[in-house]
Short mmCIF file of all heavy atoms in Angstrom, two decimals:
data_model
loop_
_atom_site.label_atom_id
_atom_site.label_comp_id
_atom_site.label_asym_id
_atom_site.label_seq_id
_atom_site.Cartn_x
_atom_site.Cartn_y
_atom_site.Cartn_z
N ARG W 20 126.47 14.56 67.30
CA ARG W 20 125.73 15.66 66.67
C ARG W 20 124.38 15.82 67.28
O ARG W 20 123.67 14.82 67.52
CB ARG W 20 125.63 15.42 65.16
CG ARG W 20 127.00 15.34 64.46
CD ARG W 20 126.86 14.97 63.00
NE ARG W 20 128.18 15.00 62.33
CZ ARG W 20 128.35 14.72 61.06
NH1 ARG W 20 127.31 14.41 60.30
NH2 ARG W 20 129.55 14.75 60.54
N VAL W 21 124.00 17.07 67.50
CA VAL W 21 122.70 17.37 68.13
C VAL W 21 121.99 18.40 67.29
O VAL W 21 122.51 19.51 67.06
CB VAL W 21 122.89 17.91 69.58
CG1 VAL W 21 121.52 18.29 70.19
CG2 VAL W 21 123.61 16.89 70.46
N VAL W 22 120.79 18.08 66.82
CA VAL W 22 120.00 19.04 66.02
C VAL W 22 119.25 19.95 67.00
O VAL W 22 118.49 19.48 67.85
CB VAL W 22 119.00 18.31 65.12
CG1 VAL W 22 118.03 19.31 64.47
CG2 VAL W 22 119.74 17.55 64.02
N LEU W 23 119.46 21.23 66.85
CA LEU W 23 118.85 22.24 67.72
C LEU W 23 117.64 22.83 67.01
O LEU W 23 117.77 23.49 65.96
CB LEU W 23 119.86 23.35 68.08
CG LEU W 23 119.31 24.56 68.83
CD1 LEU W 23 118.69 24.13 70.18
CD2 LEU W 23 120.44 25.58 69.07
N LEU W 24 116.47 22.60 67.57
CA LEU W 24 115.21 23.09 67.00
C LEU W 24 114.56 24.01 68.03
O LEU W 24 113.80 23.58 68.90
CB LEU W 24 114.26 21.92 66.68
CG LEU W 24 114.74 20.96 65.60
CD1 LEU W 24 114.10 19.59 65.77
CD2 LEU W 24 114.43 21.52 64.24
N ALA W 25 114.87 25.28 67.96
CA ALA W 25 114.34 26.27 68.90
C ALA W 25 114.17 27.60 68.23
O ALA W 25 114.94 27.95 67.32
CB ALA W 25 115.31 26.41 70.10
N PRO W 26 113.15 28.36 68.63
CA PRO W 26 112.97 29.70 68.04
C PRO W 26 113.99 30.67 68.58
O PRO W 26 114.75 30.37 69.50
CB PRO W 26 111.55 30.08 68.52
CG PRO W 26 111.39 29.32 69.82
CD PRO W 26 112.15 28.03 69.63
N GLU W 27 114.06 31.87 67.98
CA GLU W 27 114.97 32.89 68.45
C GLU W 27 114.68 33.20 69.90
O GLU W 27 113.52 33.22 70.34
CB GLU W 27 114.83 34.18 67.64
CG GLU W 27 115.12 34.02 66.15
CD GLU W 27 113.88 33.71 65.36
OE1 GLU W 27 112.90 33.20 65.95
OE2 GLU W 27 113.85 34.00 64.16
N GLY W 28 115.72 33.47 70.67
CA GLY W 28 115.55 33.83 72.06
C GLY W 28 116.51 33.19 73.00
O GLY W 28 117.50 32.54 72.60
N VAL W 29 116.23 33.29 74.29
CA VAL W 29 117.10 32.79 75.33
C VAL W 29 117.32 31.28 75.22
O VAL W 29 118.44 30.79 75.39
CB VAL W 29 116.55 33.17 76.71
CG1 VAL W 29 117.33 32.48 77.81
CG2 VAL W 29 116.58 34.67 76.90
N GLU W 30 116.23 30.55 74.93
CA GLU W 30 116.36 29.10 74.88
C GLU W 30 117.26 28.64 73.73
O GLU W 30 117.99 27.65 73.88
CB GLU W 30 114.97 28.47 74.77
CG GLU W 30 114.15 28.60 76.08
CD GLU W 30 112.71 28.23 75.92
OE1 GLU W 30 112.09 28.69 74.93
OE2 GLU W 30 112.20 27.49 76.77
N PHE W 31 117.22 29.35 72.61
CA PHE W 31 118.09 29.01 71.52
C PHE W 31 119.55 29.23 71.92
O PHE W 31 120.40 28.36 71.69
CB PHE W 31 117.77 29.87 70.27
CG PHE W 31 118.63 29.54 69.09
CD1 PHE W 31 118.17 28.68 68.10
CD2 PHE W 31 119.92 30.12 68.95
CE1 PHE W 31 118.97 28.37 67.01
CE2 PHE W 31 120.72 29.80 67.83
CZ PHE W 31 120.23 28.93 66.87
N ILE W 32 119.83 30.36 72.55
CA ILE W 32 121.20 30.64 72.97
C ILE W 32 121.68 29.63 74.00
O ILE W 32 122.81 29.15 73.96
CB ILE W 32 121.31 32.08 73.56
CG1 ILE W 32 121.02 33.10 72.44
CG2 ILE W 32 122.64 32.34 74.19
CD1 ILE W 32 122.04 33.08 71.32
N ALA W 33 120.80 29.28 74.97
CA ALA W 33 121.14 28.29 75.97
C ALA W 33 121.42 26.93 75.33
O ALA W 33 122.37 26.23 75.68
CB ALA W 33 120.02 28.15 76.99
N GLY W 34 120.60 26.57 74.37
CA GLY W 34 120.78 25.29 73.67
C GLY W 34 122.08 25.28 72.86
O GLY W 34 122.83 24.28 72.89
N PHE W 35 122.36 26.37 72.15
CA PHE W 35 123.56 26.43 71.32
C PHE W 35 124.81 26.30 72.18
O PHE W 35 125.70 25.45 71.92
CB PHE W 35 123.58 27.74 70.53
CG PHE W 35 124.74 27.85 69.60
CD1 PHE W 35 124.65 27.39 68.28
CD2 PHE W 35 125.93 28.42 70.01
CE1 PHE W 35 125.74 27.48 67.43
CE2 PHE W 35 127.02 28.53 69.17
CZ PHE W 35 126.90 28.05 67.85
N PHE W 36 124.91 27.16 73.21
CA PHE W 36 126.13 27.12 74.03
C PHE W 36 126.16 25.90 74.93
O PHE W 36 127.24 25.47 75.38
CB PHE W 36 126.25 28.40 74.82
CG PHE W 36 126.80 29.55 74.01
CD1 PHE W 36 125.95 30.55 73.53
CD2 PHE W 36 128.15 29.63 73.71
CE1 PHE W 36 126.43 31.57 72.76
CE2 PHE W 36 128.65 30.67 72.94
CZ PHE W 36 127.79 31.66 72.43
N GLY W 37 125.00 25.29 75.23
CA GLY W 37 125.00 24.05 75.97
C GLY W 37 125.67 22.93 75.18
O GLY W 37 126.46 22.16 75.71
N CYS W 38 125.38 22.90 73.87
CA CYS W 38 126.04 21.93 72.99
C CYS W 38 127.56 22.19 72.94
O CYS W 38 128.37 21.26 73.04
CB CYS W 38 125.48 22.00 71.60
SG CYS W 38 123.75 21.41 71.40
N ILE W 39 127.92 23.47 72.81
CA ILE W 39 129.32 23.82 72.74
C ILE W 39 130.05 23.46 74.03
O ILE W 39 131.16 22.88 74.01
CB ILE W 39 129.48 25.34 72.46
CG1 ILE W 39 128.91 25.71 71.10
CG2 ILE W 39 130.93 25.78 72.60
CD1 ILE W 39 129.64 25.07 69.93
N LEU W 40 129.43 23.72 75.15
CA LEU W 40 130.03 23.46 76.46
C LEU W 40 130.22 21.95 76.71
O LEU W 40 131.17 21.54 77.34
CB LEU W 40 129.15 24.06 77.57
CG LEU W 40 129.80 24.32 78.92
CD1 LEU W 40 130.96 25.30 78.81
CD2 LEU W 40 128.77 24.88 79.92
N ALA W 41 129.29 21.15 76.16
CA ALA W 41 129.35 19.72 76.34
C ALA W 41 130.17 19.03 75.23
O ALA W 41 130.23 17.81 75.19
CB ALA W 41 127.96 19.13 76.38
N ALA W 42 130.79 19.83 74.34
CA ALA W 42 131.57 19.29 73.24
C ALA W 42 130.73 18.42 72.31
O ALA W 42 131.22 17.43 71.77
CB ALA W 42 132.77 18.52 73.73
N ARG W 43 129.47 18.82 72.11
CA ARG W 43 128.63 18.20 71.10
C ARG W 43 128.60 19.10 69.87
O ARG W 43 128.80 20.30 69.99
CB ARG W 43 127.19 18.02 71.61
CG ARG W 43 126.92 16.72 72.39
CD ARG W 43 127.83 16.52 73.56
NE ARG W 43 127.43 15.39 74.36
CZ ARG W 43 128.12 14.96 75.41
NH1 ARG W 43 129.25 15.57 75.74
NH2 ARG W 43 127.70 13.92 76.11
N VAL W 44 128.46 18.52 68.72
CA VAL W 44 128.40 19.30 67.47
C VAL W 44 126.96 19.77 67.27
O VAL W 44 126.06 18.95 67.06
CB VAL W 44 128.85 18.45 66.28
CG1 VAL W 44 128.76 19.26 64.98
CG2 VAL W 44 130.26 17.94 66.47
N VAL W 45 126.73 21.05 67.37
CA VAL W 45 125.38 21.57 67.27
C VAL W 45 125.00 21.78 65.81
O VAL W 45 125.81 22.30 65.00
CB VAL W 45 125.25 22.91 68.07
CG1 VAL W 45 126.21 23.95 67.60
CG2 VAL W 45 123.82 23.44 67.99
N VAL W 46 123.81 21.34 65.46
CA VAL W 46 123.25 21.51 64.11
C VAL W 46 121.98 22.35 64.22
O VAL W 46 120.89 21.83 64.43
CB VAL W 46 122.93 20.14 63.47
CG1 VAL W 46 122.49 20.34 62.00
CG2 VAL W 46 124.12 19.20 63.53
N PRO W 47 122.11 23.68 64.14
CA PRO W 47 120.96 24.55 64.32
C PRO W 47 120.09 24.58 63.06
O PRO W 47 120.61 24.66 61.95
CB PRO W 47 121.57 25.91 64.61
CG PRO W 47 122.87 25.89 63.92
CD PRO W 47 123.36 24.44 63.94
N THR W 48 118.78 24.52 63.26
CA THR W 48 117.87 24.65 62.13
C THR W 48 116.55 25.18 62.60
O THR W 48 116.30 25.21 63.82
CB THR W 48 117.69 23.31 61.38
OG1 THR W 48 116.99 23.52 60.16
CG2 THR W 48 116.91 22.32 62.24
N TYR W 49 115.70 25.60 61.69
CA TYR W 49 114.44 26.22 62.07
C TYR W 49 113.51 25.18 62.70
O TYR W 49 113.38 24.05 62.20
CB TYR W 49 113.75 26.84 60.85
CG TYR W 49 114.58 27.93 60.23
CD1 TYR W 49 115.29 27.72 59.03
CD2 TYR W 49 114.66 29.20 60.78
CE1 TYR W 49 116.06 28.72 58.44
CE2 TYR W 49 115.43 30.20 60.19
CZ TYR W 49 116.12 29.94 59.04
OH TYR W 49 116.86 30.93 58.49
N PRO W 50 112.81 25.52 63.78
CA PRO W 50 111.89 24.61 64.38
C PRO W 50 110.66 24.42 63.49
O PRO W 50 110.28 25.35 62.76
CB PRO W 50 111.50 25.29 65.69
CG PRO W 50 111.69 26.72 65.44
CD PRO W 50 112.90 26.82 64.52
N PRO W 51 110.04 23.23 63.51
CA PRO W 51 108.88 23.02 62.63
C PRO W 51 107.69 23.82 63.10
O PRO W 51 107.43 24.00 64.28
CB PRO W 51 108.63 21.51 62.79
CG PRO W 51 109.18 21.15 64.15
CD PRO W 51 110.36 22.05 64.30
N LEU W 52 106.91 24.33 62.12
CA LEU W 52 105.71 25.09 62.42
C LEU W 52 104.51 24.19 62.60
O LEU W 52 103.45 24.63 63.08
CB LEU W 52 105.44 26.12 61.31
CG LEU W 52 106.52 27.18 61.08
CD1 LEU W 52 106.16 28.08 59.91
CD2 LEU W 52 106.73 28.00 62.33
N THR W 53 104.64 22.94 62.19
CA THR W 53 103.57 21.98 62.28
C THR W 53 104.14 20.57 62.50
O THR W 53 105.33 20.35 62.22
CB THR W 53 102.70 22.01 60.99
OG1 THR W 53 101.71 20.99 61.05
CG2 THR W 53 103.58 21.74 59.77
N SER W 54 103.32 19.66 62.96
CA SER W 54 103.75 18.26 63.08
C SER W 54 103.40 17.46 61.84
O SER W 54 103.66 16.26 61.77
CB SER W 54 103.07 17.62 64.32
OG SER W 54 101.65 17.68 64.20
#
């Protein structure tokens, strides 16, 4: 399982389908606004 923390856009799509292509289970969620 891989937690995807990325804003809307190209990088989110690349991350999502990268997980799918590598047969990892993608867990998309909102990126943190602060540390």
Side-chain angles (χ1 to χ4, degrees):
R20 298 174 177 181
V21 178
V22 171
L23 173 59
L24 296 156
E27 300 92 336
V29 172
E30 290 170 312
F31 182 95
I32 294 298
F35 183 90
F36 281 102
C38 291
I39 295 298
L40 200 60
R43 273 56 172 175
V44 179
V45 58
V46 185
T48 190
Y49 299 103
L52 299 176
T53 176
S54 59

